[in-house]
Amino acid sequence: MLHILFLFSLLFSAARGSVQDFCVADLTAPEGPAGYSCKKPAKVTVNDFVYSLSAAGNTSNIIKAAVTPAFAAQFPGLNGLGISMARLDLAPGGVVPMHTHPGATELLLVVQGTITTAFIDSASSVYLKTLKKGDIMVYPQGLLHFQVNAGGIPAIAFVSFSSSNPGLQILDFALFANSLPTPLVEKTTFLDEAQVKKLKAVLGGSG
Amino acid sequence: MLHILFLFSLLFSAARGSVQDFCVADLTAPEGPAGYSCKKPAKVTVNDFVYSLSAAGNTSNIIKAAVTPAFAAQFPGLNGLGISMARLDLAPGGVVPMHTHPGATELLLVVQGTITTAFIDSASSVYLKTLKKGDIMVYPQGLLHFQVNAGGIPAIAFVSFSSSNPGLQILDFALFANSLPTPLVEKTTFLDEAQVKKLKAVLGGSG
Amino acid sequence: MLHILFLFSLLFSAARGSVQDFCVADLTAPEGPAGYSCKKPAKVTVNDFVYSLSAAGNTSNIIKAAVTPAFAAQFPGLNGLGISMARLDLAPGGVVPMHTHPGATELLLVVQGTITTAFIDSASSVYLKTLKKGDIMVYPQGLLHFQVNAGGIPAIAFVSFSSSNPGLQILDFALFANSLPTPLVEKTTFLDEAQVKKLKAVLGGSG
Amino acid sequence: MLHILFLFSLLFSAARGSVQDFCVADLTAPEGPAGYSCKKPAKVTVNDFVYSLSAAGNTSNIIKAAVTPAFAAQFPGLNGLGISMARLDLAPGGVVPMHTHPGATELLLVVQGTITTAFIDSASSVYLKTLKKGDIMVYPQGLLHFQVNAGGIPAIAFVSFSSSNPGLQILDFALFANSLPTPLVEKTTFLDEAQVKKLKAVLGGSG
Amino acid sequence: MLHILFLFSLLFSAARGSVQDFCVADLTAPEGPAGYSCKKPAKVTVNDFVYSLSAAGNTSNIIKAAVTPAFAAQFPGLNGLGISMARLDLAPGGVVPMHTHPGATELLLVVQGTITTAFIDSASSVYLKTLKKGDIMVYPQGLLHFQVNAGGIPAIAFVSFSSSNPGLQILDFALFANSLPTPLVEKTTFLDEAQVKKLKAVLGGSG
Amino acid sequence: MLHILFLFSLLFSAARGSVQDFCVADLTAPEGPAGYSCKKPAKVTVNDFVYSLSAAGNTSNIIKAAVTPAFAAQFPGLNGLGISMARLDLAPGGVVPMHTHPGATELLLVVQGTITTAFIDSASSVYLKTLKKGDIMVYPQGLLHFQVNAGGIPAIAFVSFSSSNPGLQILDFALFANSLPTPLVEKTTFLDEAQVKKLKAVLGGSG
């Protein structure tokens, strides 16, 4: 019986060998709208599906915060699977400034400390909450949101995304960390010229 | 032959009567993640599929601009079909301020005048261009962008979206036209307190 | 502060540099079911996102009409973004003959003149309307439709599609501009042999 | 152990009871763009997932053919699952005339007899083949195609679709079985007036 | 200026009021293939978007493990957003037995302890790893996988899913906790009759 | 007129030549999450869209059954079109053992003999039925199911899938035909060690 059933195993193998259960990113091959090209199955190992977010990000910066992404570009096993993750470290007083993810909904989990956070919808309503350890909060796709450490100890959160390539547009960088001319920034944001020039200076923008 | 072929027509009708080629929104029935419930096919007429954007929006306002939407809520025939439209009117000096569409890519067509416009990507690169009549420009989903009248005459554009419900988040309204506390706005945008309070006053915000 | 915040900017750059906000088509690289391969981000400029449909199509032909497409193959910036456009020019008496778009819903905007148009659904119901400047009409995916100039002056319309690759199957070309044998055309369309042969001759078909 | 493990079973049941593995259509409740509302899980039985296509369609008609659909409207268990089926019966000389499925790709399987079939793509290329028992052929979404009995015995085929609601637009019915005015049919199809009037008469159309 | 800009705000409100940025589940209204019906926007509060997974599941059971779901049925704010979460508690010796999620990819994050885990692909290859705090692992959609506490202390993990309704099929419950006749289980799993009867008894199955 | 209309044909050809109605798999080029790269349209022929499942699979094996797949890897014309097929041959006493398709819903059609079949949902409910010729049954995506010949003659069925790459995970192969250590199999399935070792031996597994 062993022999015959084993033959049966071979019989099925044509179907099984051709199956694409996953598409681990080959970052050196062409990328398309649906994601990166797939690594050859024979070269895939368990390590393609494992990544570490154990290291705290460096919060020795002006915002006292760090975002460590595990998107498809960092964690190729996620490619095309519609999910990804990032780690947020917020020292006391830390802030992840106002931003959006153009391509994904975000689900945040607090694992240490307390975090005050909000998103704002198309009707300009604010959904504001202070979260504690074990709380989760969802930010619907593409809407502005932020996170602020609400306590005296470092806060840590892990955020999941509904895409392996969620994108990240930080408002201040979008407005001030490039060469978009100051008069256009003023005109399209109603900010004062002095304010625009001040933040352009801080963030390395020009114009 | 007439008779027999006509019978054949009836034969096929079981299949044809049950087909859902479209789902005109019944705005009074439940709405789900994929859109509104469908109006009964027997009540659908050609007028459900036609809408008018012939009227200029009223640009007698501080931004000298108007956006007239034809999304599923205004134009029920679009429901579930993955497309919608809006009309932009920009008087001389007019501006459609910095905004995003959380749920759609936008494709703009200039039909009168000239428009200076840009979008900014996740890497803070600016894609800036002055468009003239007949030019089209695409703004990838969820990214910040704006439009400014670049000439001395009224400009008109029509924008199409890759969703029947694209959303519209105007940056200034999201930041200043609600009760998000000023200290949180400051902390998450790096704007000065005076700047925040000034714009909250203008846009009817509090806090 | 400038220095430290600028460092923070670099900190985020790993995440931001890997983000795929768009996938401008590289027409020389492999194409997949979701669209063309992406051009390297470093080579993308604003001109990849801008295209011109300002030129009138040549209507000096038997149908007195022209269709100028701006699909992903002509306008690579659209690749994978789920939207595209085309310009219709209809001289007096002009007609865009009966056709379908196999892969997209169409949304038409009249910008000059008047256009009589209809689509037909799976139950053979006709949705017929004469549109004037500023009117928009939606044609659900895959259904037969046409446009006819309804006035004495040239008509112009711009049509948007819910795909960057909508397809275009013109009924007469599908039936008569190829080598599908006349007896098969007759048998599957109920058209008379003479009619089939006449149109095959006109449209360059054989068989 | 039995007792404790059984408790564990209850523990999991909160998660399991809330899961939507399927959404059997409740044809009396609201329908949306993604399909019909779901029947309550407690009322679902195996018979919701089983349907019979064992009965031959009635081919005593002018086309000597019959199409028996098993779409979501006939077979509610398919609702939302992205697949459906139909049975084709073709008596000798029978034909399923030129048609499209606006919302699905079709995969045909011949189980009896021989069938000559073709589809035509957007470039007007014809993909023509005579299929025998056990052959399968795929017709990409939205493209014109037909089936003709190529032998002296009844042919039977089963066609699968990539949607539970594929749609069915039969060319002759779309053109001639309604009130679309004859001059518009002529103008948009290049068919002669006599041809149009003849087929309108046969198919019960007017105008 | 305040007055005029405020008017502008009202001008935009037609567009903004109709936008569906989210669709918080109304669990009492009809459910469709894309998810639950939406709660009226006016009744939505921030609490619809927040949920707590702070409580440890009860691991006083034979598997010394607990799964606490936060799917759309428990956490209505997730409805239609393509993401959800669950908490895993594994006491020393605990195991989440072999299972699949028919509708989602899973991304696991270890926040305490060590976990030995594997998934098996269509080619029967095993991807086995022992994860420690801060490690993440992805399990592609629909494949068999399990988690086992690999240390002497309680382990905690949070798993995210690429759907708000991922499903959960636990192998032993599927095989043994129902009335599927023992001979059919034997025949389709190659398990011995005694083994099947033993596990049916433990899990409350019959037949 | 012939001449002019023919010119018109050329006019349209720019649009038509660039259209991607299908994407026949080029199995030698990169594969991505959405499927294989496309063969150049100029090299595509009707034979890319036709495949034969006329040959009975070899049922001279322990399960007296055979599965012959026509997925994208065997039948390249299906690539990206969201549908595929397989042939099941079940000799008397034959069984297709418990399995899942991680990426697709299955629709089974019996064309000869009788088949007893069931699927099991997330709540462990069993949907069991004996099907006869002409019956169809749908198995929602990712759920465990099996087929057993219920009569004294060979049974034949054709199964369609809602993906061109449905996957196939056979339970016994996943559990026993690899090197997953016996203690882990025991612990995660509650099977007895002897049972696990027996089936590992039969199926060629180790550990």
Side-chain angles (χ1 to χ4, degrees):
Chain A
M1 181 169 116
L2 188 159
H3 179 64
I4 305 180
L5 193 50
F6 190 64
L7 281 183
F8 160 67
S9 171
L10 295 177
L11 201 87
F12 267 97
S13 66
R16 290 155 60 223
S18 65
V19 162
Q20 184 199 41
D21 292 320
F22 42 72
C23 174
V24 175
D26 175 351
L27 300 177
T28 67
E31 187 179 2
Y36 296 97
S37 290
C38 314
K39 201 172 161 177
K40 294 286 176 199
K43 296 190 172 176
V44 172
T45 74
V46 65
N47 293 323
D48 289 305
F49 300 106
V50 178
Y51 194 77
S52 175
L53 289 174
S54 63
N58 182 355
T59 58
S60 300
N61 53 48
I62 191 67
I63 58 163
K64 300 176 181 167
V67 176
T68 310
F71 299 171
Q74 291 83 36
F75 183 5
L78 298 175
N79 186 46
L81 293 177
I83 200 161
S84 61
M85 194 172 267
R87 173 184 174 131
L88 306 188
D89 286 281
L90 291 149
V95 54
V96 179
M98 200 68 80
H99 66 285
T100 64
H101 303 285
T105 285
E106 173 179 334
L107 184 54
L108 176 141
L109 164 74
V110 180
V111 299
Q112 181 183 294
T114 54
I115 292 177
T116 293
T117 180
F119 74 85
I120 304 157
D121 72 10
S122 285
S124 302
S125 296
V126 177
Y127 299 85
L128 175 67
K129 193 83 179 179
T130 296
L131 307 173
K132 57 184 189 306
K133 186 178 171 181
D135 285 345
I136 61 178
M137 180 161 169
V138 65
Y139 309 84
Q141 177 169 336
L143 299 177
L144 282 164
H145 60 283
F146 65 83
Q147 287 96 12
V148 172
N149 190 331
I153 62 161
I156 305 174
F158 289 88
V159 289
S160 302
F161 298 100
S162 63
S163 166
S164 60
N165 181 32
L168 170 57
Q169 181 162 55
I170 301 168
L171 178 59
D172 273 60
F173 292 174
L175 297 181
F176 307 119
N178 49 43
S179 60
L180 185 60
T182 296
L184 276 176
V185 180
E186 284 180 69
K187 195 173 180 65
T188 61
T189 63
F190 307 125
L191 297 175
D192 295 333
E193 181 182 7
Q195 178 74 86
V196 174
K197 285 190 176 300
K198 179 178 172 184
L199 286 167
K200 272 189 172 279
V202 170
L203 284 153
S206 60
Chain B
M1 180 171 115
L2 187 160
H3 180 64
I4 306 181
L5 192 50
F6 190 63
L7 280 183
F8 161 67
S9 171
L10 294 177
L11 200 89
F12 266 98
S13 67
R16 290 155 60 223
S18 66
V19 162
Q20 184 199 43
D21 292 319
F22 42 73
C23 175
V24 175
D26 176 352
L27 300 177
T28 68
E31 187 179 1
Y36 296 96
S37 291
C38 314
K39 200 171 162 178
K40 295 286 177 199
K43 295 191 174 177
V44 172
T45 73
V46 66
N47 293 322
D48 288 306
F49 300 106
V50 177
Y51 194 75
S52 175
L53 287 174
S54 64
N58 182 354
T59 58
S60 299
N61 54 47
I62 191 66
I63 58 164
K64 298 178 183 164
V67 176
T68 309
F71 299 170
Q74 290 84 36
F75 183 7
L78 296 175
N79 187 45
L81 293 178
I83 199 162
S84 61
M85 193 173 268
R87 173 184 174 132
L88 305 188
D89 286 281
L90 290 149
V95 55
V96 179
M98 199 69 81
H99 65 285
T100 64
H101 303 285
T105 285
E106 174 180 334
L107 183 54
L108 176 141
L109 165 73
V110 180
V111 300
Q112 180 182 296
T114 54
I115 293 177
T116 294
T117 180
F119 73 86
I120 304 156
D121 71 10
S122 284
S124 302
S125 296
V126 178
Y127 300 86
L128 176 66
K129 193 81 179 181
T130 295
L131 307 173
K132 57 183 191 305
K133 186 178 172 183
D135 285 346
I136 61 178
M137 179 162 170
V138 64
Y139 309 85
Q141 178 169 334
L143 299 177
L144 282 164
H145 60 284
F146 65 84
Q147 287 96 13
V148 172
N149 189 331
I153 61 160
I156 304 173
F158 289 88
V159 290
S160 302
F161 298 100
S162 64
S163 166
S164 61
N165 180 32
L168 169 58
Q169 181 162 56
I170 301 168
L171 178 58
D172 273 59
F173 293 173
L175 296 181
F176 307 119
N178 50 42
S179 60
L180 186 61
T182 296
L184 276 175
V185 180
E186 284 180 68
K187 197 174 180 63
T188 61
T189 63
F190 309 125
L191 297 177
D192 296 333
E193 182 183 3
Q195 178 74 85
V196 174
K197 284 190 177 298
K198 178 178 172 184
L199 286 167
K200 271 188 174 280
V202 171
L203 284 154
S206 60
Chain C
M1 182 170 114
L2 188 160
H3 179 63
I4 305 182
L5 192 51
F6 190 64
L7 279 182
F8 161 66
S9 171
L10 294 176
L11 200 90
F12 267 98
S13 67
R16 290 154 60 224
S18 65
V19 162
Q20 184 199 43
D21 293 319
F22 42 73
C23 176
V24 175
D26 175 353
L27 300 177
T28 67
E31 187 179 2
Y36 296 97
S37 291
C38 314
K39 199 171 162 177
K40 295 287 178 198
K43 296 191 175 177
V44 172
T45 73
V46 65
N47 293 322
D48 288 305
F49 300 106
V50 177
Y51 193 75
S52 175
L53 288 174
S54 63
N58 181 355
T59 58
S60 299
N61 53 48
I62 191 67
I63 60 163
K64 299 176 181 166
V67 175
T68 310
F71 299 171
Q74 291 83 36
F75 182 7
L78 297 175
N79 187 45
L81 292 178
I83 199 160
S84 60
M85 195 173 266
R87 173 184 174 133
L88 305 188
D89 287 280
L90 290 149
V95 55
V96 179
M98 199 69 80
H99 65 285
T100 64
H101 303 285
T105 285
E106 173 179 333
L107 184 54
L108 176 140
L109 164 73
V110 179
V111 298
Q112 181 182 294
T114 55
I115 293 177
T116 293
T117 180
F119 73 85
I120 304 157
D121 72 10
S122 285
S124 303
S125 295
V126 177
Y127 300 85
L128 176 66
K129 193 82 179 180
T130 295
L131 308 173
K132 57 184 188 305
K133 186 178 173 183
D135 285 345
I136 60 177
M137 180 162 170
V138 63
Y139 308 85
Q141 178 169 336
L143 299 177
L144 282 164
H145 60 283
F146 64 84
Q147 288 95 11
V148 172
N149 189 332
I153 61 160
I156 304 174
F158 289 88
V159 290
S160 302
F161 299 99
S162 64
S163 165
S164 60
N165 180 31
L168 170 57
Q169 181 161 56
I170 301 168
L171 178 58
D172 274 60
F173 292 173
L175 296 181
F176 308 119
N178 50 42
S179 61
L180 185 61
T182 296
L184 276 175
V185 180
E186 284 180 67
K187 196 172 181 66
T188 62
T189 62
F190 309 124
L191 296 175
D192 295 333
E193 182 183 7
Q195 178 75 86
V196 174
K197 286 190 174 300
K198 178 178 172 185
L199 285 167
K200 273 188 173 279
V202 171
L203 284 154
S206 60
Chain D
M1 179 170 116
L2 186 161
H3 179 63
I4 305 180
L5 192 51
F6 190 63
L7 281 182
F8 161 66
S9 170
L10 294 176
L11 201 89
F12 267 98
S13 66
R16 290 154 60 225
S18 65
V19 162
Q20 184 199 42
D21 292 320
F22 41 73
C23 174
V24 175
D26 175 352
L27 300 178
T28 68
E31 188 179 2
Y36 296 97
S37 290
C38 314
K39 199 171 163 178
K40 295 285 176 199
K43 295 190 172 176
V44 172
T45 73
V46 66
N47 293 322
D48 288 305
F49 300 106
V50 178
Y51 194 76
S52 175
L53 289 173
S54 64
N58 182 354
T59 58
S60 299
N61 53 47
I62 192 66
I63 59 163
K64 299 178 183 166
V67 176
T68 309
F71 299 171
Q74 290 84 35
F75 182 7
L78 297 175
N79 187 47
L81 293 177
I83 200 161
S84 60
M85 193 172 266
R87 173 183 174 133
L88 305 188
D89 286 280
L90 291 148
V95 55
V96 179
M98 199 68 82
H99 65 285
T100 64
H101 303 286
T105 286
E106 174 179 334
L107 183 54
L108 176 141
L109 165 73
V110 180
V111 299
Q112 180 182 296
T114 54
I115 292 177
T116 294
T117 180
F119 73 85
I120 304 156
D121 72 10
S122 285
S124 302
S125 296
V126 177
Y127 300 85
L128 175 66
K129 193 82 178 181
T130 295
L131 307 173
K132 58 184 189 304
K133 186 178 172 181
D135 285 346
I136 62 177
M137 178 162 172
V138 63
Y139 309 84
Q141 177 169 335
L143 299 177
L144 282 164
H145 61 283
F146 64 84
Q147 288 95 11
V148 172
N149 189 332
I153 62 160
I156 304 174
F158 289 88
V159 289
S160 302
F161 299 98
S162 64
S163 165
S164 60
N165 181 31
L168 170 57
Q169 181 161 55
I170 302 168
L171 178 58
D172 274 60
F173 292 173
L175 297 181
F176 307 120
N178 50 42
S179 59
L180 186 60
T182 296
L184 277 175
V185 181
E186 284 180 68
K187 193 169 182 69
T188 61
T189 62
F190 309 124
L191 296 176
D192 296 333
E193 181 183 7
Q195 180 73 85
V196 174
K197 286 191 175 298
K198 179 177 173 183
L199 286 167
K200 272 191 173 276
V202 171
L203 284 154
S206 59
Chain E
M1 179 170 117
L2 188 160
H3 179 64
I4 306 180
L5 192 51
F6 190 63
L7 281 182
F8 162 66
S9 171
L10 295 177
L11 201 88
F12 266 98
S13 66
R16 291 153 61 223
S18 64
V19 162
Q20 185 199 43
D21 291 320
F22 41 71
C23 174
V24 175
D26 174 352
L27 300 177
T28 67
E31 189 179 1
Y36 296 97
S37 290
C38 314
K39 200 171 161 177
K40 294 287 176 199
K43 297 190 173 176
V44 172
T45 74
V46 65
N47 294 322
D48 288 305
F49 300 106
V50 178
Y51 194 76
S52 175
L53 288 174
S54 64
N58 182 354
T59 59
S60 298
N61 53 47
I62 191 67
I63 59 164
K64 299 177 181 165
V67 176
T68 309
F71 299 170
Q74 290 83 35
F75 183 6
L78 296 175
N79 187 47
L81 293 178
I83 199 161
S84 59
M85 195 173 265
R87 174 184 172 130
L88 305 188
D89 286 280
L90 291 149
V95 55
V96 179
M98 199 70 81
H99 65 284
T100 63
H101 303 285
T105 285
E106 173 179 334
L107 183 55
L108 177 140
L109 165 73
V110 180
V111 299
Q112 182 181 293
T114 54
I115 293 177
T116 294
T117 180
F119 73 85
I120 305 155
D121 72 10
S122 284
S124 301
S125 295
V126 178
Y127 300 85
L128 175 66
K129 193 82 180 182
T130 295
L131 306 174
K132 57 183 190 307
K133 186 178 171 181
D135 284 347
I136 61 177
M137 178 161 170
V138 64
Y139 309 85
Q141 178 169 334
L143 299 177
L144 281 163
H145 60 283
F146 63 84
Q147 287 97 13
V148 172
N149 189 330
I153 62 160
I156 304 174
F158 290 88
V159 290
S160 302
F161 298 99
S162 64
S163 165
S164 59
N165 180 32
L168 170 57
Q169 181 161 57
I170 301 167
L171 179 58
D172 273 61
F173 291 173
L175 297 180
F176 307 119
N178 50 42
S179 61
L180 186 61
T182 296
L184 276 176
V185 180
E186 285 180 68
K187 195 171 180 67
T188 61
T189 63
F190 308 125
L191 296 175
D192 295 333
E193 181 183 7
Q195 178 74 86
V196 174
K197 286 190 175 299
K198 179 179 173 184
L199 284 167
K200 273 190 171 278
V202 170
L203 283 154
S206 61
Chain F
M1 181 169 114
L2 189 160
H3 180 63
I4 306 181
L5 192 51
F6 190 63
L7 280 183
F8 161 67
S9 171
L10 294 177
L11 200 87
F12 266 98
S13 66
R16 291 153 61 223
S18 66
V19 162
Q20 184 199 42
D21 292 319
F22 41 73
C23 175
V24 175
D26 175 352
L27 300 177
T28 67
E31 188 179 0
Y36 296 97
S37 291
C38 314
K39 199 172 163 177
K40 295 286 178 200
K43 295 190 174 177
V44 171
T45 74
V46 66
N47 293 323
D48 288 304
F49 300 105
V50 177
Y51 194 75
S52 175
L53 289 173
S54 63
N58 181 355
T59 59
S60 300
N61 53 49
I62 192 65
I63 58 163
K64 300 176 182 166
V67 176
T68 310
F71 299 171
Q74 291 83 36
F75 182 7
L78 297 175
N79 187 45
L81 292 178
I83 201 161
S84 60
M85 195 173 264
R87 174 184 173 131
L88 305 187
D89 286 279
L90 291 148
V95 54
V96 178
M98 199 70 80
H99 65 285
T100 64
H101 303 285
T105 285
E106 173 178 333
L107 184 54
L108 176 140
L109 164 74
V110 180
V111 299
Q112 181 182 296
T114 55
I115 293 176
T116 293
T117 180
F119 74 86
I120 304 157
D121 72 10
S122 284
S124 302
S125 296
V126 177
Y127 300 84
L128 176 65
K129 193 82 180 181
T130 296
L131 307 173
K132 57 183 190 305
K133 184 179 172 181
D135 285 346
I136 62 178
M137 180 161 169
V138 64
Y139 309 85
Q141 177 169 335
L143 299 177
L144 282 163
H145 60 283
F146 65 83
Q147 288 95 12
V148 173
N149 189 332
I153 62 160
I156 305 173
F158 289 88
V159 290
S160 302
F161 299 99
S162 62
S163 165
S164 60
N165 180 33
L168 170 58
Q169 181 161 56
I170 301 167
L171 179 59
D172 273 60
F173 292 172
L175 297 181
F176 308 119
N178 50 43
S179 61
L180 185 61
T182 296
L184 276 175
V185 180
E186 284 179 67
K187 196 172 180 66
T188 60
T189 63
F190 309 124
L191 296 176
D192 295 333
E193 182 183 7
Q195 178 74 87
V196 174
K197 285 189 175 300
K198 178 178 172 184
L199 286 168
K200 273 189 172 279
V202 171
L203 284 153
S206 60

